[in-house]
Amino acid sequence: MTQTADVRTVQTEAVAEQADERVLVASQWQLVRWRFLQHKLAVISLIVLGLFYSVAIFAEFVAPYDPTEFREELTLAPPHKIRFVDPEGNFHLRPFVHPFEKTLDEVTYAAIFIEDETVMQPLGLFVKGDPYKLWGLFESDIHLFGLQDPDARLSLLGQDTVGRDLFTRIVYGSRISLTIGLVGVAMSFFLGILIGGLSGYLGGTVDMVIQRIIESLRALPTLPLWMALSIALPHDWPVVRTYFFIVIILSTVGWTSIARVVRGRFFALREEDFVGAAELDGASNLRVIFRYLLPSFMSYIIARLTLAIPQMILGETALSFIGLGLQPPAISWGVLLNDAQAIRVLALSPWLLLPTAFVVVSILAFNFVGDGLRDASDPYSHV
Amino acid sequence: MTDAIQPAGRGDRAIISVRNLVKYFPIESGLLRRQVGLVKAVDDVSFDLNDGETLALVGESGCGKTTTSHCIIQAQRPTAGEVHFRIGDTRPVDLTKMEKADLKKARRNIRMIYQDPYSSLNPRMTLLQIIGEPLKIHGQVKSQDELRARVSDLLRLVRLDPSTLNRYPHAFSGGQRQRIAIARALSLSPKVVIADEAVSALDVSVQAQILNLLKELQRELGLTYLFVAHNLAVVKYEADRVAVMYAGKIVEIGETEELYTCPKHPYTEALISAAPNPDPDTKNRPRIVLTGDVADPGNLPGGCSFHPRCRYAEDLCKQETPPLMELSAAGEPSHQSACHFADRLSLAGIGAAELTTDRDAA
């Protein structure tokens, strides 16, 4: 039995080589997390997204004003300069702004906003302001930040064409713009896994019919398809219902790519020996699907989904921008940009384009997170 | 041709009797999936797997040996034929006619080891889950503690450290993974283990370890092996009997030593001469190089499938398919060959001396 003894020594050596016990007992998700954390840009993006979503969740609290409250005299007022040093040259620890004084240009009759340097309006945290109901439940009038004088208006990112605070509206707009991606992708995910799974699992004629449908859908250019579908939505519908149907419209195309991926994965995985082994073990179809097939490509699907969210956000923004998506009084980044269509805006009130910055940042962040997830999703490729 | 083989159920020691097993795959083409041909992957194969023995199924890639093993365990349903399975003195049951629920029970006794230990273990599960899965599915354990105990025992059985049961497969080398696969196969205390090229994907040094382990386990647990392989050196060491397959048919079957020293089919002769021989003393034995490709099972040549590559072929070989015939006298161990000239040709095997040196070396 010297052979057995040899075998044992070989093994103890092999085990000793693999010193890092932590890696050895790490589950797939732990490995994914470790790989993801190495992707610095993705981690930063994830933090940015976390920030964006917390702002969206606590919009009433974060936004300094009511999104519909307008001040006619402040129509198209530019952003305030936040100051620490007063005209006399004294430094103030607490930042302050000078209120605007509106005059008219005597030649063009254009409104000119001049800062009134005699008045200082200090900023503050947790200030009293417009009353609101957080999530329609908790009544309050405390805002995260704002001017200490509740009647004065802080113009952080400027005012819009009817004198509403743009920053406030961007904060409220993030609710729709950021969630439409999630809801849309969740719907695509559901449809994609269901239909793609059926296609891959049943194969044969079902598979062929589903694949032809997917091909036809994908052959249609998305924007005209979305336009056609959204024109069909009645304009007198309440905001929530329109929102829901816009999501469905965006998902009509979104699910196809996920269905394809799922189908391909099903086909590939069914050939894997461990799936065959599970079938021989006596595992039922459902057990095979839920314990073997789905976990094997879930990480990959999640990475795909993260990359699909920006597409949804852009879709909503584009539709709303051309006036076919959400309509005022709904607030989304696309609706806000709709205001910025006139050339006059570009020339005189460029801050109305600021929602674009938020669209760009959130989409970049999603893309980086998706990149990081995709790289990390197959932790076994390098182990 | 089947007269020579004992009918099902009467083979005294047969635990599995394969009778006239056929597996055809249709070749489809075009949009309407019209059938334009047949791939005869397994074509009328019959043999017995005796209790406690190791039968090796050898042949080139694509000869149908893996399909045969899959048809036995019903991982693929055969097109025709019977697979009788019998434990002890019970009545044999035909696996090919079984419903899913009965098959699940039968498969407790027939287990499979796959070729590639990197693909056969779910990377998302720990050893405990992988090896414990069959136990759980078949309701063999009552509690998590019992499961841990059983899996630890199994790990010890395949000479792995039981403390590793919370690790994932990525923590193990190829040889260790194959041990895990063996532990999974043994978890339900089977009678028969089908090893589909179980060592082909491993390093030569690791192959020897796994082969030794399989032999030890056979001795300890009284297992019966169906050993699918293409490596004759491995087979020589492991198998009691060998069945050589070519183009979906068994062309020769016999005791290992008899078949190696005294082959009765030209294909077997060519296979043996192609196997690398590590012994310098017998290095100069003639090497038979086969010309042409292995027969396409979708388009088999008429007559004996091997005739286009056979150096002894005559006109008869092109016209008539030779049946598998018994060559040894009554009372002697069976040796069958499917060659028209099996009793006339004198074919070169390896010397008996070489066979024993190889065995000792291994």
Side-chain angles (χ1 to χ4, degrees):
Chain A
M1 283 294 105
T2 50
Q3 282 156 348
T4 325
D6 289 346
V7 171
R8 289 214 179 98
T9 15
V10 169
Q11 272 173 358
T12 25
E13 276 166 20
V15 170
E17 276 169 31
Q18 300 163 330
D20 195 350
E21 181 69 25
R22 213 168 62 111
V23 173
L24 300 179
V25 297
S27 74
Q28 180 205 4
W29 294 108
Q30 279 169 313
L31 292 171
V32 167
R33 205 170 65 230
W34 291 336
R35 275 288 287 281
F36 182 81
L37 289 179
Q38 285 170 10
H39 197 305
K40 289 285 173 290
L41 207 50
V43 174
I44 293 169
S45 300
L46 192 65
I47 294 169
V48 168
L49 284 180
L51 210 70
F52 271 34
Y53 276 97
S54 6
V55 165
I57 291 168
F58 299 104
E60 288 94 342
F61 172 66
V62 175
Y65 301 102
D66 186 293
T68 54
E69 196 225 20
F70 61 93
R71 303 260 178 112
E72 214 173 334
E73 72 278 12
L74 285 175
T75 298
L76 290 175
H80 266 131
K81 287 198 176 75
I82 312 259
R83 294 170 191 275
F84 290 90
V85 182
D86 66 22
E88 282 91 52
N90 302 320
F91 177 80
H92 296 261
L93 199 59
R94 184 182 281 278
F96 63 91
V97 297
H98 298 304
F100 285 125
E101 208 152 84
K102 187 176 173 181
T103 56
L104 288 180
D105 186 305
E106 285 178 6
V107 181
T108 61
Y109 285 97
I112 300 173
F113 293 91
I114 299 165
E115 291 185 328
D116 179 2
E117 296 197 345
T118 57
V119 186
M120 279 165 50
Q121 288 176 329
L123 273 74
L125 286 173
F126 304 109
V127 295
K128 273 188 189 302
D130 296 329
Y132 60 84
K133 257 185 158 180
L134 187 60
W135 309 322
L137 292 175
F138 309 107
E139 250 177 274
S140 172
D141 57 357
I142 305 291
H143 295 262
L144 178 63
F145 69 98
L147 294 180
Q148 283 174 334
D149 174 6
D151 294 326
R153 165 82 52 119
L154 167 69
S155 178
L156 192 64
L157 299 179
Q159 307 293 308
D160 74 359
T161 45
V162 289
R164 292 172 298 200
D165 184 46
L166 188 61
F167 177 74
T168 300
R169 290 178 67 76
I170 288 174
V171 166
Y172 276 87
S174 70
R175 273 203 171 151
I176 284 180
S177 291
L178 289 177
T179 54
I180 208 158
L182 294 186
V183 178
V185 156
M187 278 199 60
S188 308
F189 183 92
F190 176 75
L191 285 174
I193 287 198
L194 186 75
I195 299 175
L198 279 177
S199 188
Y201 197 75
L202 298 175
T205 318
V206 178
D207 177 45
M208 209 183 75
V209 171
I210 291 177
Q211 289 313 306
R212 297 300 87 75
I213 292 173
I214 289 180
E215 273 159 23
S216 327
L217 271 177
R218 290 181 71 89
L220 296 170
T222 42
L223 202 56
L225 176 72
W226 288 341
M227 284 166 71
L229 288 172
S230 57
I231 285 167
L233 297 183
H235 277 256
D236 51 356
W237 273 5
V239 172
V240 178
R241 196 188 299 168
T242 320
Y243 169 85
F244 190 66
F245 272 84
I246 295 278
V247 171
I248 294 178
I249 289 168
L250 294 174
S251 309
T252 48
V253 178
W255 68 268
T256 53
S257 65
I258 288 157
R260 284 233 147 149
V261 173
V262 171
R263 166 184 178 263
R265 291 267 144 169
F266 260 85
F267 274 150
L269 282 167
R270 294 211 68 177
E271 299 301 310
E272 288 279 341
D273 284 346
F274 71 79
V275 177
E279 278 164 7
L280 290 184
D281 281 347
S284 62
N285 279 346
L286 281 181
R287 194 180 179 99
V288 168
I289 291 177
F290 285 104
R291 253 179 96 82
Y292 292 83
L293 297 178
L294 281 180
S296 296
F297 61 78
M298 202 40 90
S299 52
Y300 181 77
I301 293 283
I302 288 173
R304 276 294 292 245
L305 287 175
T306 322
L307 293 172
I309 293 174
Q311 213 192 337
M312 292 279 172
I313 296 180
L314 281 179
E316 184 275 327
T317 309
L319 277 183
S320 300
F321 176 74
I322 54 179
L324 291 169
L326 293 162
Q327 310 281 344
I331 309 167
S332 79
W333 292 345
V335 171
L336 295 181
L337 285 172
N338 197 0
D339 278 352
Q341 275 183 347
I343 184 72
R344 164 180 73 96
V345 167
L346 274 173
L348 299 173
S349 324
W351 54 88
L352 286 184
L353 289 172
L354 277 171
T356 322
F358 288 82
V359 175
V360 169
V361 170
S362 59
I363 282 171
L364 281 180
F366 267 116
N367 278 331
F368 286 134
V369 170
D371 265 359
L373 279 179
R374 190 181 47 202
D375 292 349
S377 67
D378 193 4
Y380 305 102
S381 57
H382 295 272
V383 173
Chain B
M1 61 175 275
T2 42
D3 331 353
I5 300 165
Q6 288 166 315
R10 263 197 279 146
D12 298 338
R13 298 193 298 134
I15 186 160
I16 289 181
S17 304
V18 178
R19 290 293 173 272
N20 309 94
L21 192 71
V22 173
K23 179 69 183 176
Y24 292 161
F25 295 101
I27 308 172
E28 288 164 344
S29 104
L31 255 184
L32 300 172
R33 312 226 164 140
R34 228 157 24 89
Q35 186 178 325
V36 294
L38 271 181
V39 173
K40 299 184 173 181
V42 178
D43 194 6
D44 197 10
V45 162
S46 303
F47 62 88
D48 285 333
L49 181 62
N50 294 327
D51 199 0
E53 79 167 347
T54 301
L55 173 67
L57 214 49
V58 300
E60 282 168 89
S61 301
C63 72
K65 51 193 193 298
T66 295
T67 310
T68 306
S69 69
H70 282 183
C71 284
I72 289 173
I73 202 167
Q74 308 297 313
Q76 293 171 338
R77 289 289 193 168
T79 311
E82 293 163 8
V83 177
H84 295 281
F85 174 61
R86 184 179 65 166
I87 309 172
D89 294 328
T90 56
R91 231 165 55 83
V93 285
D94 187 354
L95 297 179
T96 61
K97 309 255 179 338
M98 269 190 177
E99 295 301 320
K100 229 183 151 178
D102 293 330
L103 207 51
K104 185 174 159 183
K105 276 186 215 141
R107 280 187 185 141
R108 278 202 330 225
N109 284 304
I110 310 175
R111 304 280 294 161
M112 183 122 174
I113 303 171
Y114 287 85
Q115 170 173 9
D116 180 4
Y118 287 88
S119 139
S120 69
L121 303 177
N122 189 346
R124 272 76 180 163
M125 287 180 163
T126 61
L127 295 204
L128 180 68
Q129 289 169 316
I130 290 171
I131 301 172
E133 185 80 347
L135 292 168
K136 266 170 138 177
I137 291 172
H138 289 272
Q140 306 258 307
V141 284
K142 307 264 177 310
S143 66
Q144 195 67 19
D145 288 339
E146 194 187 346
L147 185 71
R148 289 184 88 89
R150 289 281 289 273
V151 172
S152 300
D153 287 346
L154 285 161
L155 284 174
R156 248 174 253 122
L157 193 65
V158 297
R159 329 285 191 243
L160 280 174
D161 183 356
S163 68
T164 58
L165 54 70
N166 282 326
R167 292 188 185 177
Y168 287 81
H170 68 83
F172 295 88
S173 67
Q176 290 170 324
R177 284 176 187 228
Q178 200 58 299
R179 286 168 195 269
I180 298 165
I182 293 171
R184 173 177 59 190
L186 296 179
S187 59
L188 295 171
S189 314
K191 295 274 180 281
V192 179
V193 174
I194 297 176
D196 183 6
E197 306 260 16
V199 296
S200 310
L202 305 175
D203 287 349
V204 177
S205 60
V206 182
Q207 281 191 3
Q209 295 172 12
I210 299 293
L211 289 174
N212 284 331
L213 176 68
L214 286 172
K215 276 212 148 174
E216 284 170 32
L217 290 171
Q218 183 170 40
R219 229 172 288 139
E220 283 172 42
L221 307 171
L223 297 169
T224 306
Y225 288 143
L226 179 64
F227 205 84
V228 178
H230 60 257
N231 184 334
L232 283 169
V234 165
V235 166
K236 189 161 58 178
Y237 173 66
E238 191 74 15
D240 301 312
R241 287 197 305 143
V242 178
V244 181
M245 285 189 76
Y246 186 79
K249 283 186 185 334
I250 290 185
V251 294
E252 184 168 3
I253 179 168
E255 304 264 314
T256 309
E257 198 167 323
E258 165 85 1
L259 188 127
Y260 273 69
T261 50
C262 180
K264 290 292 180 199
H265 194 283
Y267 181 62
T268 315
E269 181 193 34
L271 273 188
I272 291 171
S273 90
N277 174 17
D279 185 354
D281 293 340
T282 56
K283 201 102 202 171
N284 297 328
R285 82 182 174 206
R287 178 111 162 65
I288 303 165
V289 180
L290 289 179
T291 52
D293 286 329
V294 62
D296 173 10
N299 182 22
L300 289 175
C304 172
S305 307
F306 186 58
H307 84 256
R309 305 171 78 189
C310 181
R311 48 186 200 155
Y312 309 104
E314 290 178 23
D315 278 348
L316 177 65
C317 302
K318 292 175 191 157
Q319 282 142 23
E320 263 183 56
T321 311
L324 196 61
M325 285 179 307
E326 183 61 63
L327 299 170
S328 58
E332 282 176 38
S334 162
H335 188 174
Q336 299 166 359
S337 165
C339 177
H340 291 299
F341 308 105
D343 43 358
R344 259 181 280 161
L345 292 173
S346 126
L347 301 171
I350 50 174
E354 194 185 326
L355 190 74
T356 43
T357 34
D358 278 8
R359 283 215 171 198
D360 293 344

